[in-house]
Amino acid sequence: MSPPLLSQIPSDNYSDSSVGIGLVRSSIELSKQTVESWNKVWGDVVNPSGALWAGLCNLGTTLAALSIIFLAVKMIADYQEKRFLWSELAASFIYPLVIAIFLGSNGYLLSQTVLVIRNIGHQQVVSVLNIQLADTTFKSAISNVTLTQNVKTQISTIYA
């Protein structure tokens, strides 16, 4: 079944490069669709009004409350043993305070921060890919491969 299918493929240089360019275009389109799908997933997961995000924020709030209770119990024990330092108290409340600020308003500030950091990372990846591909276009790369194959065929023919 596959020999008739293969015999229908023309073997000239133009067709080979057209097939290669078509494959590259298809892979670029697939890549764009994949990026759009991931962007949608990121938007759904980090949406402050979404159920998943609300659950994560509730979990974070619960853990923050438990850590504040643990901190208060520890500070009371230190106060009773005369090892209480006000500077230690202030330093201990910084992280729970930051967590409370990020989780306020159903985690809106946290979601925006996550999206900004993700976008910065995404832009860095895109810029690296653009630098790597700046000197070579897909069409010239496929043409060079096709020419190389033709030269190998001609050398093999002459050598034979």
Side-chain angles (χ1 to χ4, degrees), residues 87-147:
S87 61
E88 197 175 298
L89 176 67
S92 298
F93 270 102
I94 290 175
Y95 290 116
L97 183 62
V98 169
I99 291 170
I101 290 171
F102 273 114
L103 292 177
S105 299
N106 201 18
Y108 179 78
L109 181 62
L110 181 62
S111 71
Q112 296 307 308
T113 304
V114 167
L115 288 176
V116 165
I117 292 171
R118 184 225 176 239
N119 288 335
I120 290 170
H122 177 72
Q123 291 302 323
Q124 291 299 316
V125 169
V126 168
S127 67
V128 167
L129 290 175
N130 286 338
I131 290 170
Q132 289 178 349
L133 298 175
D135 296 327
T136 305
T137 62
F138 287 118
K139 187 173 184 177
S140 67
I142 290 172
S143 297
N144 289 340
V145 169
T146 304
L147 290 174

Side-chain angles (χ1 to χ4, degrees), residues 30-109:
L30 179 63
S31 176
K32 286 179 182 177
Q33 291 172 354
T34 303
V35 168
E36 290 172 5
S37 296
W38 275 109
N39 285 338
K40 184 180 181 319
V41 168
W42 271 95
D44 291 344
V45 169
V46 188
N47 184 4
S49 61
L52 177 62
W53 188 256
L56 290 173
C57 287
N58 288 338
L59 175 65
T61 304
T62 303
L63 292 175
L66 289 174
S67 68
I68 290 172
I69 292 170
F70 175 74
L71 181 66
V73 169
K74 182 182 174 298
M75 289 296 165
I76 290 171
D78 286 347
Y79 182 74
Q80 288 176 349
E81 295 176 7
K82 308 284 191 244
R83 295 183 296 156
F84 182 75
L85 298 172
W86 285 102
S87 61
E88 197 175 298
L89 176 67
S92 298
F93 270 102
I94 290 175
Y95 290 116
L97 183 62
V98 169
I99 291 170
I101 290 171
F102 273 114
L103 292 177
S105 299
N106 201 18
Y108 179 78
L109 181 62

